[in-house]
């Protein structure tokens, strides 16, 4: 019996030891110390890592040393049903750890395949598994909601402009230095960071603020984070020359880190305007040209000051055909600088070299405020050159008619060769030359010389049956044949005719020349009859 009493405790000891090991093998090996999920999260899961404290997970291995061969499963569920996330098979093994903090960036990496979530309630669940796919931790889930993005955006009131005040007028020197733009923040204050984007547009002729904002690129774009003011320098860099005006508009828009609008009206404030003080309103009242004489062309310009305050005319320039560098008019009378009193006018005269290649000139008159030389304006006007066209003058266009001896008559046809010589300065390519027979007359020595056909419709034409011929070459003799009535043998007659030559150049200018010809046909030699 004693023997038996000693052996039982030994068997009980073995049982207890075995039971303890089994309990150790079945208990959780990884403890999820802390797992928190933000109550409201964006619908786009990929943006969660940019939301402060969106997900926090801290896990600790409960055994000795570091845990190895573990996997983490992260899933989004709705009503207990998995929406997206990884599983044991797709999860990768974690590095060995004792205690580990998992970042939001690391956790959202398990949710890369998640679609954009619809508004509603969800749970985010995490659980650790081992190599044998057995649980190493219990599953822990936390609830969160996704709100309608439109409702979220519209829940914020957009910024409101403060300064510069709407319609404020600056002096030019004020806009050359720093200008402070201020506005109110989003209301209520968002939990996420806000970027305020300031933009400024300059108006052009014929535009209002909305047109400028839609059509013109902004001259200022500046982003500031979580503050409601921005400082901009050098908005005004020089005189506002047409088509640009000295008028501007500005607006602020609130956006998040993804540059998506925040608040109603796309997070945009109202469009406010400001402008640069401009005490100048001049105009080119008229421009007149003189003809090109001896290589010079006179110019007359009348400038008008439309305001009551005086201005100085500091420069008058022109551009050939509206392009290239502006050329100062020099000399000019009266000499610049010239003062024009309020509501007054002043006439300036000058001359320029004749410009064969010019069809019009663009004039620029620069004026400055007498009291404030930095306040300037430029008036622009164009005028077509009104010089007389001299392409058809005798010096540029010549035509010599052949002498009567060079005109022949045979078989009731007048024949001759005509050469046209055309010289233009500058050279003008010829498009066509046309000859029109505009007059024909035949005077016989008596009425018996034309015994038959006296119908003018049957004669007095070119041999082609018309009164017109056309070609496009010069300095090459052109042969003309003109039909005449049939005559009785031995009759004399005088023929007169006129041809109008029309030369059309490729620049669409046209010259006309009327040339008249005369030819006398001698009759047979008269026989002297002697009566004996």
């Amino acid at each position: 019996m004693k023997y038996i009493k000693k052996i039982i405790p030994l068997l009980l000891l073995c049982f207890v030891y075995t039971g303890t090991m089994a309990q150790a093998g079945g208990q959780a090996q990884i403890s999820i110390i802390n797992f928190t999920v933000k109550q409201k999260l964006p619908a786009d899961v990929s943006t969660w890592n940019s939301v402060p404290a969106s997900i926090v997970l801290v896990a600790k291995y409960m055994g000795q040393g570091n845990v190895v061969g573990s996997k983490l499963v992260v899933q989004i569920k709705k009503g207990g049903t998995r929406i997206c996330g990884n599983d044991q098979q797709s999860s990768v093994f974690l590095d060995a750890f004792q205690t580990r903090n998992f970042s939001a960036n690391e956790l959202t990496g398990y949710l890369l395949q998640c679609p954009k979530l619809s508004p509603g309630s969800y749970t985010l669940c995490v659980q650790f598994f081992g190599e044998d796919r057995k649980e190493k931790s219990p599953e822990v889930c936390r609830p969160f909601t996704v709100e309608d993005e439109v409702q979220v955006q519209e829940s914020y009131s957009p910024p409101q402009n403060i300064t510069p005040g709407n319609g404020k007028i600056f002096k030019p020197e004020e806009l050359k230095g720093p200008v402070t733009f201020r506005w109110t923040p989003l209301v209520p204050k968002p939990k996420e960071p806000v970027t305020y984007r300031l933009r400024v547009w300059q108006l052009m002729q014929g535009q209002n603020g909305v047109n400028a904002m839609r059509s013109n690129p902004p001259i200022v774009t500046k982003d500031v984070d979580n503050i409601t003011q921005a400082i901009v320098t050098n908005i005004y860099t020089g005189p506002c020359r047409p088509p640009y005006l000295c008028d501007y508009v500005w607006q602020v828009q609130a956006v998040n880190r993804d540059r998506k609008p925040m608040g109603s009206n796309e997070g945009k404030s109202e469009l406010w305007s400001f402008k640069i003080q401009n005490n100048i309103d001049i105009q080119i009242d008229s421009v007149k040209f003189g003809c090109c004489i001896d290589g010079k062309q006179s110019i007359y310009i009348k400038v008008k000051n439309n305001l009551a305050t005086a201005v100085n005319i500091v420069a008058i320039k022109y551009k050939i055909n509206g392009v290239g560098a502006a050329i100062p008019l020099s000399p000019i009378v009266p000499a610049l600088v010239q003062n024009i009193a309020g509501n007054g006018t002043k006439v300036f005269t000058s001359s320029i070299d004749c410009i064969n290649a010019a069809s019009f000139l663009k004039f620029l008159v620069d004026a400055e405020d007498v009291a404030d030389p930095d306040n300037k304006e430029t008036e622009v006007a164009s005028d077509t050159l009104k010089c007389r066209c001299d392409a058809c003058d005798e010096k540029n266009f010549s035509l010599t008619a052949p002498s009567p001896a060079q005109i022949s008559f045979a078989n009731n046809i007048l024949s001759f060769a005509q050469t046209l010589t055309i010289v233009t300065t500058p050279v003008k390519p010829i498009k066509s030359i046309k000859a029109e027979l505009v007059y024909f007359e035949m005077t016989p020595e008596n009425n018996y010389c034309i015994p038959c056909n006296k119908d003018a419709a049957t004669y007095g034409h070119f041999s082609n049956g018309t009164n017109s011929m056309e070609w496009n070459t010069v300095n090459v003799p052109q042969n003309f044949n003109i039909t005449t009535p049939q005559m009785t043998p031995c009759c004399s007659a005088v023929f007169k005719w006129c041809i109008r030559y029309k030369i059309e150049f490729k620049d669409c200018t046209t010259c006309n020349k009327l040339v008249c010809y005369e030819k006398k046909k001698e009759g047979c030699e008269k026989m002297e009859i002697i009566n004996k």
Side-chain angles (χ1 to χ4, degrees):
M1 292 295 296
K2 293 182 181 179
Y3 178 80
I4 295 174
K5 288 181 179 180
K6 290 182 179 180
I7 196 66
I8 291 176
L10 180 61
L11 291 173
L12 289 173
L13 180 62
C14 291
F15 177 80
V16 171
Y17 177 78
T18 304
T20 302
M21 292 298 294
Q23 184 181 1
Q27 70 180 6
Q29 298 181 23
I30 298 177
S31 175
I32 297 177
I33 299 175
N34 182 19
F35 179 46
T36 58
V37 178
K38 201 162 188 176
Q39 185 178 2
K40 296 179 181 179
L41 288 171
D44 188 351
V45 178
S46 64
T47 65
W48 289 4
N49 61 340
S50 62
V51 177
S54 59
I55 314 173
V56 176
L57 174 62
V58 181
K60 181 178 180 180
Y61 177 50
M62 303 305 296
Q64 298 295 322
N66 296 327
V67 64
V68 294
S70 62
K71 293 183 176 183
L72 174 61
V73 173
V74 183
Q75 296 180 343
I76 295 176
K77 297 182 179 182
K78 186 176 180 64
T81 303
R82 175 177 174 268
I83 300 298
C84 61
N86 65 339
D87 53 26
Q88 298 178 46
Q89 185 174 356
S90 60
S91 182
V92 297
F93 287 105
L94 299 171
D95 293 334
F97 69 89
Q98 178 70 41
T99 300
R100 180 167 174 173
N101 296 321
F102 292 84
S103 66
N105 185 56
E106 185 175 5
L107 294 172
T108 54
Y110 292 95
L111 305 171
L112 292 178
Q113 304 303 320
C114 288
K116 190 172 183 179
L117 302 177
S118 302
S121 299
Y122 299 85
T123 55
L124 181 65
C125 302
V126 295
Q127 187 174 13
F128 290 91
F129 291 87
E131 293 177 305
D132 54 2
R133 299 190 180 182
K134 291 183 178 180
E135 299 177 354
K136 282 196 172 185
S137 77
E139 182 181 49
V140 179
C141 298
R142 295 288 184 265
F144 69 94
T145 59
V146 172
E147 294 184 347
D148 189 306
E149 289 188 358
V150 174
Q151 294 178 353
V152 171
Q153 297 300 334
E154 292 183 350
S155 66
Y156 298 112
S157 296
Q160 299 297 318
N161 299 342
I162 299 177
T163 59
N166 194 17
K168 180 176 175 58
I169 299 176
F170 289 90
K171 292 183 178 180
E173 57 269 22
E174 291 178 314
L175 283 189
K176 289 181 180 178
V179 177
T180 300
F181 292 82
R182 291 190 177 93
W183 55 89
T184 63
L186 287 180
V187 178
K189 183 180 179 181
K191 295 181 180 180
E192 60 180 310
V194 181
T195 296
Y196 293 99
R197 175 169 294 167
L198 168 68
R199 283 178 287 196
V200 180
W201 294 268
Q202 184 175 13
L203 275 64
M204 299 178 70
Q205 289 175 329
Q207 288 184 332
N208 57 29
V210 175
N211 298 145
M213 181 179 66
R214 292 175 178 174
S215 304
N216 306 345
I219 62 170
V220 173
T221 299
K222 189 168 185 178
D223 290 355
V224 292
D225 294 332
N226 297 314
I227 58 175
T228 56
Q229 73 173 39
I231 298 176
V232 180
T233 58
N234 294 322
I235 293 178
Y236 175 70
T237 57
C240 302
R241 303 180 184 277
Y244 295 99
L245 303 177
C246 284
D247 296 82
Y248 305 82
V249 290
W250 68 282
Q251 186 181 69
V252 174
Q253 183 180 26
V255 298
N256 59 21
R257 286 185 176 180
D258 298 322
R259 298 302 184 256
K260 293 181 179 179
M262 300 180 66
S264 57
N265 191 36
E266 296 183 334
K268 295 178 180 177
S269 69
E270 294 182 359
L271 197 64
W272 279 17
S273 67
F274 62 92
K275 63 188 300 183
I276 298 174
Q277 178 185 16
N278 193 342
N279 293 329
I280 301 177
D281 184 7
I282 59 166
Q283 71 180 69
I284 299 177
D285 197 46
S286 62
V287 179
K288 298 178 183 178
F289 295 94
C291 291
C292 188
I293 300 175
D294 297 328
K296 292 288 185 179
Q297 184 173 5
S298 63
I299 294 177
Y300 167 103
I301 298 179
K302 185 178 180 181
V303 182
K304 183 180 179 182
N305 178 12
N306 292 321
L307 294 181
T309 55
V311 297
N312 285 330
I313 304 300
V314 296
I316 301 179
K317 306 172 186 177
Y318 66 94
K319 291 185 177 183
I320 300 171
N321 295 330
V323 297
I327 305 170
L329 279 178
S330 180
I332 189 169
V333 179
L336 301 176
V337 173
Q338 283 293 318
N339 179 277
I340 302 183
N343 300 310
T345 60
K346 190 172 287 288
V347 171
F348 298 89
T349 59
S350 184
S351 64
I352 62 172
D353 293 333
C354 298
I355 308 168
N356 293 318
S359 58
F360 73 94
L361 298 182
K362 177 179 285 186
F363 289 90
L364 301 90
V365 176
D366 293 344
E368 67 180 13
D369 190 344
V370 173
D372 182 5
D374 288 331
N375 188 21
K376 300 182 179 183
E377 185 186 49
T378 297
E379 171 70 8
V380 178
S382 299
D383 207 293
T384 302
L385 289 171
K386 299 179 179 64
C387 289
R388 178 178 60 86
C389 176
D390 62 356
C392 304
D393 288 356
E394 290 294 336
K395 65 180 181 179
N396 291 331
F397 180 99
S398 63
L399 186 155
T400 303
S403 65
Q406 296 173 301
I407 302 174
S408 62
F409 177 81
N411 299 321
N412 302 313
I413 293 178
L414 292 164
S415 300
F416 63 97
Q418 177 65 70
T419 300
L420 279 74
T421 302
I422 301 171
V423 179
T424 59
T425 306
V427 176
K428 298 165 71 71
I430 292 175
K431 182 178 179 180
S432 66
I433 303 173
K434 189 175 184 179
E436 297 174 335
L437 185 58
V438 296
Y439 176 80
F440 179 84
E441 176 188 343
M442 172 184 171
T443 306
E445 61 180 315
N446 59 63
N447 291 333
Y448 298 101
C449 288
I450 307 179
C452 299
N453 187 1
K454 297 183 180 181
D455 184 3
T458 63
Y459 60 86
H461 307 293
F462 292 134
S463 58
N464 62 6
T466 70
N467 288 342
S468 177
M469 294 175 59
E470 188 171 342
W471 66 98
N472 58 11
T473 56
V474 294
N475 301 324
V476 176
Q478 296 295 322
N479 296 317
F480 292 86
N481 295 302
I482 301 175
T483 59
T484 70
Q486 185 176 356
M487 294 181 60
T488 300
C490 293
C491 275
S492 297
V494 176
F495 299 92
K496 295 181 181 179
W497 67 96
C498 294
I499 297 177
R500 181 172 61 221
Y501 294 91
K502 181 180 178 181
I503 295 87
E504 183 178 359
F505 298 94
K506 289 186 177 180
D507 64 358
C508 296
T509 57
T510 302
C511 296
N512 291 276
K513 291 290 183 180
L514 183 67
V515 180
C516 293
Y517 304 80
E518 182 175 327
K519 174 66 176 177
K520 183 176 182 181
K521 172 188 176 296
E522 299 290 348
C524 301
E525 184 180 353
K526 298 186 182 298
M527 298 180 62
E528 185 178 357
I529 300 176
I530 302 175
N531 294 322
K532 292 184 178 180

